[in-house]
Amino acid sequence: MVCRLNRRRDRLKESLSEEGLSGALLADPANIRYLCGFSGEGILAVGEALVLVTDPRYGEQTEEAQGCRVVVTRERLLDGLKEALKDGFWGERVGLEGSLPYGTYLRLLEVFPDVGWTKASCLEALRSVKDEGEIALIKEAARIGDRIFEGLLSLLRPGVTEREVAAELVYRLHREGEGSSFEPIVAFGPNSSKPHAAPSDRKLVEGEPVLVDFGVLLRGYASDMTRTFWFGEPEEEFLKVHSVVLEAQNAALEAARPGMDVVELDGVARKVIEDAGYGENFGHGLGHGVGLEVHEPPRISPKGEGKLEEGMVFTVEPGIYLPGRWGVRTEDMVVLGRDGPEVITSSPKFVRIS
Ligand code: ZN
Ligand code: ZN
């Protein structure tokens, strides 16, 4: 573990110096966990050494932290950091995460008036290429997700509500994994046409679709999968739309390679959907990276930036949504290898429930 963390830090320091930065200040818990193993909240100063500052709520938990000096302060975190740092720790230009709250930024200007703060681009994609240990955990999370999905099918009986299924799902995610990587989506009938529908008291009736989107959390790592199927005998157009979505997904899976632009990969799936006449009904990106956060770089969408790299883990999730009627989304996770993606979600794409 220590040598894995060292590699991550060496890579970060290299990228920082390529950007002309002498250090960084991180506040995103996922980035902090990635660099020093600490799963609580705090701030991490990266300069000639690493200094983690947190408050007494996480005092005992700091045992997790490796390869960094730990400061537990009762003061405000930045004041605690100021006391802990030697003069000259930062150097002149220090990088920040784009997600840093504006209030924290203003405090930084007050507490460290001599430091030149700037956004560090390298922090955005810090975690996008996964190492072996991360990939193993994500695969295990995906496997647990498949198992939970299988068990879920028996809950789908007429009269059960979206909220009841979602609650049972959350319970199983905690029992079989270590939690839910996001609020699950369970949508029946017309609710499935809203890509991010919140579970309601709607009862399941025969003759409508069911969309389930959920993810497992396992030792900090997430999984994410979606399946859409029909309860009863499917409408003809549903079957057609479902197969267009699968075709779009397969086209993207066949095309994905290291070095490919994320916009190009999105375009491969989008073209299949457009050619089938449903271009207007696919309003979100094709996929996103998954790791310590369920949504992280790379963002595979028409607005995405950057290229795919070997070792990235991301979702491929095209969808077609017909407002007021229903929607279909199929989402699998992949690990990108040198020659293409390995799909790590193995639940059946379509199941008949009745
Ligand atoms: Zn997703
Ligand atoms: Zn999802």
Side-chain angles (χ1 to χ4, degrees), residues 319-336:
I320 294 176
Y321 309 91
L322 307 182
R325 292 179 64 197
W326 38 257
V328 175
R329 178 169 66 255
T330 297
E331 173 178 32
D332 286 333
M333 287 174 71
V334 305
V335 177
L336 191 60

Side-chain angles (χ1 to χ4, degrees), residues 4 6 8 92 103 163 173 193 234-235 241 266 318 342 350:
R4 199 178 292 155
N6 282 339
R8 293 174 187 175
E92 278 177 12
R163 216 193 296 275
L173 287 163
S193 74
E235 269 177 27
V241 165
D266 175 273
E342 176 195 355
F350 191 76

Side-chain angles (χ1 to χ4, degrees), residues 95-144:
L96 298 171
E97 296 149 331
S99 59
L100 191 82
Y102 185 57
T104 309
Y105 175 69
L106 293 179
R107 281 279 298 147
L108 269 176
L109 296 179
E110 264 175 50
V111 179
F112 298 98
D114 301 329
V115 174
W117 301 105
T118 182
K119 188 179 145 189
S121 326
C122 64
L123 294 177
E124 306 300 307
L126 176 67
R127 310 187 312 265
S128 61
V129 171
K130 271 65 183 178
D131 58 41
E132 269 173 42
E134 295 183 286
I135 290 173
L137 277 176
I138 297 169
K139 281 185 175 176
E140 180 59 22
R143 261 197 297 275
I144 295 171

Side-chain angles (χ1 to χ4, degrees), residues 27-48:
D28 177 342
N31 280 342
I32 293 175
R33 186 168 188 168
Y34 183 74
L35 291 170
C36 71
F38 171 66
S39 65
E41 287 172 24
I43 50 176
L44 181 68
V46 180
E48 56 199 18

